[in-house]
């Protein structure tokens, strides 16, 4: 596209944003929904630029890693409108900066639509001709202090990065970092400059879907801050097969030298390069890089200045030493200056060189090394945090504090038990101020703040306060309305999952949630939030505060909802099982559908990004939640009836025979233990992370050996029954990992081929199983109502307990009324589920109290 001709004379634009169409039909953006060519992107940018109007206006863009947000951003740069980028996941920052700068247009997502909220036809501000972009300084999310960047800054920085990374038009870079962050934005800019493609996604590197997208898109580069590399270690990045990966870049904070060396060696072995980089928002993004060939021998160095830039060392009196002092940078990417109010938007250049605040030395080999900070600023998880500002903010809330931080954590020391706010509230205030995740903020309550002999705070002592402090109780769902919504959700998670370590960055699966607790949690969340986003169980709590789906509508006074297919199948299946056993009707096959659902939920809730040991602990907890209440009920029945023996109580009849009605419980338990044993092998754990679809598909093929009795096995014999039905569990697991239509078709083909003939002479039963498994593969949600969801949720959440107890309920009532026997069986199971959950919760609380008491006695 060409720059719009109707703008005011003298309006400037960013060349790479204007020249998108020159790259023709090359792929510009790749998302999970498919590719977008440069020609298509240019058309959309041009149309949006025309919508932005002929007069220059200040545009506040609520940024996200989506094509819509990118189009608005590029349209503004091409048409000369200054853009203020604000994180889309931080509503307080949006409100704060909207109040502070009174933008002329606010661009944001509204449900499934993208909205340009035009607040006035012409700008209320004086906008300097050079002003192109406004970014928050690292860590100052929501602060009125912004970095003013020019069109030349953006173009020069993109050209510099493209040069030293040797970005080619065949490259495809994963945009793993948020667009409002200067590092993430520079990845987008530098690749669009060269006609390369950007893989645009909001998925975390811990999500298997991210790697599926990266491989499908033939990704060539990956970027991350130090925390990203922690996550890469966790998901087994070293063992991944990424044949097109050319290089990995790291910035946003210091990566420990030993890890730089390790990743450099990893790259050499796999055929990709590691670029360690150094930058600040005030320099548009990057000032230095370490050539990949030096990463193994000089891992502690920041490197050399980027093309077009230069460094000098300004001596400091309190940092003696030859070639040591504050690092000062000069280059075309140095900002125009800061803005602290709307009047500053009319300023031109007020800064010619950038005093970084970092203390550095120039080594004999010409590389620069960072050795400290002039001020107390800390860079935590890539965000630059001003502890003094945090202290001032807390002082306004009546809290006396001292703060200090390192690369991973901000320690907030407060005196006594704050009167105005509690420990949880202190953490919430700090995270809202800094944009840090709650896990990176540690609140320590001290009798007195540590002081030096001079009376000044002893910040070194504060940094050493690494001992965890018990958190204040988290409010439950009945808390007062003044309690923030985020805290309420934390309380809900803490109560339903019986955890005392819930933070805003916790997720359902990360806290060990499984299929038994999933239903109850989803019902409570729907009441609190309306319709839930897909994959809510993998999202951190802070993201659930802004569900991507629109609120549930009402029709004829009823709230319209959706019901997840796996929950619907569990609810229907348990009713079919009980009703068929009582002969109220005769629709068999429900138990075998539940085996597929069990495999599906195993993949969703247990095969998370957690490390191998945590995965195994979570599987163990789920197995215990099946075995303990089942054994307890059977043991009670052994005492009061003659229907069972010790083999049944110990859940061994599937192995020792003769088989009884509890075969489903036993088989499910055995399969969980078997796959846990398999994934306990480190190599198999890495294989599952690397091949999330292929591994269960292989297990499915192995399970078909038992299905077809190729070695004399028969599903009507008792030894071993699990071998003949394991393929159903593996099929559900594979269905959960099927990310493409082709993969789902393959799984569905197995259903249509393997189910017929499995139940000899029972075509109706086979039809039920085929229908249930096909729905599980293809349908994620069903249209529903809140009332229907509640009934289905209770039945699904209690299905295990109903299955265990109904054998001892219906014989006393079926002769009188089969319908009454069915209803009574369901109600008794539901009651037993509530009792078992309450007993388990009290036992865990008592166990924690005993452990705490023991620790206290040992400490004394």
């Amino acid at each position: 596209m060409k720059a719009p001709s109707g703008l005011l004379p003298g309006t400037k634009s960013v060349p790479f944003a204007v020249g998108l169409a020159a790259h023709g039909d090359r792929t510009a953006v790749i998302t999970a929904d498919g590719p977008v060519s440069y020609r298509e992107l240019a058309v959309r940018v041009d149309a949006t630029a025309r919508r932005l109007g002929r007069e220059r206006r200040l545009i506040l863009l609520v940024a996200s890693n989506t094509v819509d947000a990118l189009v608005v951003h590029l349209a503004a740069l091409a048409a000369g409108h200054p853009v203020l980028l604000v994180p889309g996941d931080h509503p307080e920052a949006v409100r704060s900066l909207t109040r502070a700068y009174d933008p002329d247009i606010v661009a944001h997502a509204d449900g499934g639509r993208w909205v340009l909220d035009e607040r006035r036809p012409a700008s209320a501000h004086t906008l300097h001709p050079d002003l192109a972009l406004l970014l928050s300084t690292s860590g100052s999310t929501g602060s009125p202090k912004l970095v003013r960047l020019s069109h030349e800054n953006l173009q020069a920085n993109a050209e510099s990065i493209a040069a030293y990374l040797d970005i080619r038009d065949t490259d495809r870079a994963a945009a793993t970092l948020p667009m409002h962050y200067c590092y993430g934005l520079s990845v987008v800019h530098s690749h669009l400059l060269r006609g390369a493609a950007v893989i645009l996604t909001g998925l975390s590197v811990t999500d298997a879907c991210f790697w599926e997208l990266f491989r499908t898109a033939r990704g060539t580069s990956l970027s991350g801050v130090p925390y990203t590399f922690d996550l890469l270690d966790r998901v087994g990045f070293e063992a991944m097969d990424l044949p097109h990966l050319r290089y990995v870049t790291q910035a946003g904070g210091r990566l420990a030298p030993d890890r730089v060396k390790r990743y450099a060696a990893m790259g050499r072995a796999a055929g990709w390069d590691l670029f360690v980089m150094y930058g600040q928002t005030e320099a548009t993004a990057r000032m230095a890089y370490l050539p990949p060939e030096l990463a193994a021998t000089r891992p502690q160095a920041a490197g050399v200045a980027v093309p077009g830039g230069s460094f000098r060392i300004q001596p400091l009196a309190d940092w003696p030493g030859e070639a040591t002092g504050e690092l000062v940078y000069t280059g075309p990417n140095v900002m125009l200056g800061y803005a602290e109010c709307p009047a500053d938007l009319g300023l031109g250049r007020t800064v010619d060189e950038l005093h970084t605040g970092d203390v550095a030395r120039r080594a004999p080999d010409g590389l620069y090394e960072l050795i400290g900070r002039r001020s107390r600023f800390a860079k935590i998880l890539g965000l630059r945090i001003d502890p003094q500002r945090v202290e001032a903010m807390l002082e306004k809330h009546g809290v006396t504090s001292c703060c200090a931080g390192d690369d991973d954590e901000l320690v907030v020391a407060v005196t006594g038990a704050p009167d105005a706010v509690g420990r949880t509230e202190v953490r919430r205030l700090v995270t809202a101020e800094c944009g840090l995740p709650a896990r990176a903020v540690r609140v320590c309550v001290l009798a007195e703040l540590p002081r030096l002999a001079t009376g000044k705070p002893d910040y070194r002592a504060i940094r050493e306060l690494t001992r965890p402090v018990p958190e204040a109780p988290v409010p439950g769902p009945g808390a007062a309305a003044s309690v923030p919504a985020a805290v309420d959700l934390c309380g809900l998670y803490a109560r339903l999952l019986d955890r005392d370590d819930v933070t805003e960055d916790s997720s359902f699966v990360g806290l060990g949630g499984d299929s038994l607790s999933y239903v109850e949690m989803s019902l409570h969340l729907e009441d609190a939030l309306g319709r839930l986003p897909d994959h809510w169980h993998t999202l951190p709590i802070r993201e659930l505060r802004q569900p991507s789906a629109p609120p549930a509508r009402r029709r004829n006074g009823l709230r319209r909802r959706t019901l997840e297919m796996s929950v619907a199948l569990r609810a229907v299946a348990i009713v079919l099982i009980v009703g068929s056993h009582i002969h109220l009707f005769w629709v068999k096959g429900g138990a075998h559908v539940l085996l597929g659902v069990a495999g599906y939920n195993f993949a969703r809730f247990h095969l998370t990004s957690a490390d191998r040991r945590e995965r195994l602990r979570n599987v163990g907890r789920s197995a215990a939640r099946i075995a303990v209440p089942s054994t307890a009920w059977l043991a009670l029945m052994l005492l009061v009836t003659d229907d069972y023996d010790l083999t049944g109580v110990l859940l061994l009849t599937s192995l020792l025979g003769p088989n009884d009605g509890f075969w489903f419980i036993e088989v499910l338990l055995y399969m969980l233990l078997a796959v846990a044993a398999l994934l306990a092998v480190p190599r198999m754990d890495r294989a599952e992370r690397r091949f999330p679809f292929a591994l269960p598909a292989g297990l499915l093929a192995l399970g078909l050996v038992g299905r077809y009795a190729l070695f004399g096995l028969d599903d009507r014999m008792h030894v071993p029954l699990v071998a003949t039905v394991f393929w159903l569990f593996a099929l559900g697991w594979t269905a959960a990992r099927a990310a493409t239509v082709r993969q789902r078709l393959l799984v569905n083909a197995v259903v249509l081929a393997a189910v017929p003939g499995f139940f000899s002479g029972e075509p109706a039963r086979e039809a039920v199983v085929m229908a249930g498994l096909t729905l599980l593969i293809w349908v994620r949600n069903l249209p529903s109502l809140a009332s229907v969801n509640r009934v289905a949720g209770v039945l699904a959440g209690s299905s295990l307990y109903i299955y265990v107890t109904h054998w001892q309920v219906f014989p006393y009532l079926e002769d009188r009324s089969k319908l009454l026997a069915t209803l009574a069986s369901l109600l008794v199971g539901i009651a037993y589920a509530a009792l078992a959950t309450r007993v388990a919760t009290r036992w865990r609380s008592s166990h924690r109290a005993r452990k705490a008491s023991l620790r206290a006695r040992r400490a004394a």
Side-chain angles (χ1 to χ4, degrees):
M1 64 175 277
K2 296 181 180 180
S5 58
L7 289 171
L8 291 175
T11 296
K12 300 180 181 179
S13 58
V14 180
F16 70 75
V18 175
L20 297 171
H23 301 295
D25 291 323
R26 297 197 62 80
T27 299
V29 180
I30 301 170
T31 71
D33 296 325
V36 178
S37 73
Y38 272 94
R39 193 181 310 280
E40 294 168 330
L41 182 62
V43 169
R44 291 185 61 178
V45 168
D46 183 50
T48 303
R50 296 180 189 281
R51 287 186 60 194
L52 295 177
R54 300 170 59 185
E55 296 281 342
R56 288 186 81 213
R57 290 187 284 180
L58 176 62
I59 300 170
L60 185 145
L61 173 56
V62 183
S64 60
N65 282 23
T66 63
V67 176
D68 287 332
L70 178 61
V71 165
V72 175
H73 172 69
L74 293 172
L77 296 185
H81 301 282
V83 184
L84 168 53
L85 283 181
V86 185
D89 60 352
H90 201 311
E92 180 54 41
V94 175
R95 288 190 292 268
S96 173
L97 288 170
T98 301
R99 286 194 302 267
Y101 282 91
D102 188 22
D104 305 310
I105 300 176
V106 176
H108 62 96
D110 183 9
R113 302 181 304 117
W114 193 259
V115 176
L116 294 179
D117 181 10
E118 300 189 54
R119 308 174 79 194
R120 56 184 69 91
S123 183
H125 312 292
T126 300
L127 305 173
H128 193 275
D130 290 338
L131 181 62
L133 183 65
L134 294 160
L135 294 177
S136 295
T137 58
S138 297
S140 64
T141 303
S143 165
K145 184 176 182 179
L146 302 174
V147 173
R148 294 183 292 116
L149 299 173
S150 70
H151 309 88
E152 181 192 10
N153 289 155
L154 299 182
Q155 184 73 17
N157 189 65
E159 290 175 351
S160 174
I161 294 168
Y164 74 74
L165 290 181
D166 185 27
I167 297 177
R168 308 162 188 172
D169 60 8
T170 54
D171 279 326
R172 296 184 167 193
T176 54
L177 302 167
M179 200 169 80
H180 68 267
Y181 176 34
C182 67
Y183 180 16
L185 191 61
S186 71
V187 172
V188 175
H189 287 177
S190 57
H191 283 78
L192 293 181
L193 174 85
R194 288 288 179 90
V198 176
I199 305 169
L200 201 58
T201 176
L203 295 171
S204 166
V205 296
T206 62
D207 194 321
C209 295
F210 169 83
W211 295 109
E212 183 73 25
L213 176 62
F214 189 79
R215 292 188 189 95
T216 302
R218 303 165 71 90
T220 62
S221 71
L222 191 67
S223 304
V225 297
Y227 182 57
T228 308
F229 288 79
D230 294 339
L231 300 178
L232 291 177
D233 286 341
R234 193 180 300 172
V235 299
F237 175 72
E238 184 174 5
M240 289 185 182
D241 181 23
L242 304 171
H244 305 287
L245 184 62
R246 284 208 308 122
Y247 61 88
V248 174
T249 67
Q250 182 273 317
R254 181 175 180 269
L255 191 64
D258 60 332
R259 300 190 72 194
V260 172
K261 292 177 67 173
R262 183 164 69 84
Y263 268 86
M266 192 187 304
R268 284 197 307 272
W272 50 263
D273 291 326
L274 174 68
F275 285 84
V276 176
M277 305 177 301
Y278 161 69
Q280 292 181 359
T281 309
E282 290 84 345
T284 310
R286 307 183 206 174
M287 296 179 286
Y289 73 100
L290 183 64
E293 62 271 17
L294 300 178
T297 56
R298 298 287 275 112
Q300 71 277 23
V304 298
V306 299
S310 63
F311 288 117
R312 69 178 178 87
I313 298 291
Q314 179 169 300
L316 296 171
D318 52 348
W319 285 86
E322 186 177 354
T324 299
E326 183 179 11
L327 190 62
V328 181
Y329 175 79
T330 305
N333 53 324
V334 172
M335 66 176 176
L336 296 173
Y338 291 112
E340 299 194 48
C341 65
D344 293 339
L345 303 182
L347 298 176
R349 179 168 291 281
T350 59
V351 174
D352 293 315
E353 58 181 7
L354 179 61
H355 290 255
T356 65
D358 288 313
V359 180
R361 60 170 166 250
R362 189 174 187 273
D365 58 5
L367 299 181
Y368 289 88
E369 299 174 355
L370 305 182
I371 58 176
R373 288 286 302 169
R374 280 199 68 180
S375 68
R376 288 177 49 216
F377 278 93
K379 204 157 193 179
I380 303 172
L381 302 182
L383 297 176
R384 195 172 69 190
I385 306 301
D386 182 356
Q388 187 173 356
R389 180 178 165 187
V390 176
E391 293 167 3
M393 179 273 298
L394 290 175
E395 183 69 27
K396 292 179 181 178
H397 291 273
V399 179
T400 301
S401 65
C402 283
C403 306
D406 55 22
D407 288 347
D408 300 310
E409 187 176 63
L410 178 69
V411 179
V412 181
V414 297
T415 55
D419 295 329
V421 290
R423 207 180 267 116
T424 301
E425 182 69 359
V426 169
R427 175 178 286 167
R428 189 194 67 79
L429 290 169
V430 174
T431 56
E433 175 75 11
C434 303
L436 286 171
R439 62 174 178 78
V441 177
R442 173 161 296 161
V443 180
C444 301
V445 178
L446 306 175
E448 293 183 4
L449 295 177
R451 304 279 178 182
L452 299 171
T454 59
K456 294 182 179 180
D458 185 349
Y459 289 107
R460 175 172 293 183
I462 292 171
R463 275 192 293 270
E464 292 173 355
L465 294 173
T466 57
R467 181 173 58 85
V469 181
E471 292 295 332
V474 183
S482 60
V483 178
V487 177
D488 286 341
L489 290 184
C490 289
L492 178 63
Y493 274 58
R495 181 171 64 85
L496 295 185
L497 296 179
D498 194 26
R499 297 285 294 255
D500 57 4
D501 56 348
V502 181
T503 71
E504 288 188 47
D505 284 283
S506 302
S507 67
F508 177 78
V509 293
L511 291 170
D514 58 15
S515 60
L516 295 176
S517 51
Y518 174 83
V519 179
E520 185 179 11
M521 181 66 78
S522 65
L523 290 176
H524 280 81
L525 287 176
E526 278 199 333
D527 284 340
L529 303 174
R531 192 185 307 172
L532 292 175
D534 289 340
H535 309 299
W536 67 263
H537 57 288
T538 65
L539 298 176
I541 291 173
R542 69 168 60 250
E543 293 186 23
L544 285 178
R545 285 184 288 166
Q546 306 166 65
S548 58
R553 297 179 181 177
R554 288 183 178 268
R555 185 174 183 180
N556 299 327
L558 298 175
R559 295 180 68 183
R560 297 175 61 185
R561 296 279 180 83
T562 58
L563 179 62
E564 188 177 299
M565 178 54 69
S566 66
V567 176
L569 288 175
R570 287 169 63 187
V572 171
I574 193 61
V575 172
L576 293 183
I577 290 169
V578 174
S580 295
H581 287 166
I582 300 172
H583 301 298
L584 177 66
F585 43 73
W586 193 252
V587 185
K588 301 184 71 176
H592 292 81
V593 171
L594 285 180
L595 289 178
V597 174
Y600 182 85
N601 285 333
F602 172 78
R604 296 173 68 213
F605 301 126
H606 295 304
L607 301 183
T608 66
S609 60
D611 61 32
R612 179 170 52 88
R613 292 181 180 178
E614 183 62 24
R615 277 182 165 188
L616 294 176
R617 280 193 291 268
N618 288 338
V619 176
R621 293 189 191 104
S622 290
R625 291 186 67 182
I626 295 171
V628 172
S630 300
T631 299
W633 177 266
L634 293 175
L636 177 63
M637 294 303 103
L638 178 65
L639 297 177
V640 299
T641 73
D642 296 327
D643 295 340
Y644 304 108
D645 57 20
L646 189 59
T647 302
V649 172
L650 297 178
L651 301 177
L652 295 174
T653 58
S654 289
L655 293 178
L656 304 180
N659 191 25
D660 62 15
F662 294 97
W663 69 268
F664 173 80
I665 300 292
E666 296 180 5
V667 164
L668 179 58
L669 186 61
Y670 297 165
M671 287 191 292
L672 280 177
L673 295 177
V675 293
L678 178 71
L679 296 177
V681 180
R683 181 171 295 180
M684 295 305 298
D685 180 76
R686 290 194 297 269
E688 189 282 324
R689 297 174 194 269
R690 185 177 179 184
F691 307 108
F693 178 80
L695 180 77
L699 293 177
L700 172 58
L702 183 63
L704 291 176
V705 172
R707 149 67 182 98
Y708 287 104
L710 298 184
F711 298 103
L713 298 174
D714 190 319
D715 65 311
R716 288 172 296 280
M717 295 177 63
H718 303 298
V719 185
L721 179 60
V722 67
T724 65
V725 295
F726 174 74
W727 68 277
L728 290 164
F729 181 91
L731 189 142
W733 177 355
T734 311
R737 292 307 201 196
T740 65
V741 171
R742 187 175 181 179
Q743 289 174 342
R744 291 192 182 114
L745 286 171
L746 178 62
V747 180
N748 211 160
V750 175
V751 172
L752 299 178
V755 173
F758 189 58
F759 305 100
S760 180
E762 297 184 71
R765 189 177 190 181
E766 291 171 350
V768 168
V769 175
M770 284 192 290
L773 295 178
T774 299
L775 288 171
L776 185 66
I777 294 167
W778 292 103
V779 182
R780 291 291 181 261
N781 297 288
L782 296 169
S784 183
L785 297 171
S787 56
V788 175
N789 282 10
R790 290 203 166 278
V791 174
V794 171
L795 289 171
S798 306
S799 55
L800 169 75
Y801 306 91
I802 294 171
Y803 188 92
V804 171
T805 60
H806 81 286
W807 298 101
Q808 294 301 317
V809 178
F810 73 80
Y812 298 99
L813 297 170
E814 62 178 333
D815 290 338
R816 183 178 305 174
S817 168
K818 288 181 169 50
L819 177 60
L820 177 63
T822 302
L823 293 175
S825 297
L826 298 176
L827 291 174
V828 170
I830 292 169
Y832 183 53
L835 175 64
T837 300
R838 178 170 296 185
V839 170
T841 300
R842 289 187 176 180
W843 181 86
R844 286 191 293 267
S845 298
S846 175
H847 180 65
R848 283 197 297 267
R850 287 195 299 271
K851 289 177 66 176
S853 176
L854 180 60
R855 285 196 299 268
R857 287 199 298 270
R858 288 176 177 173

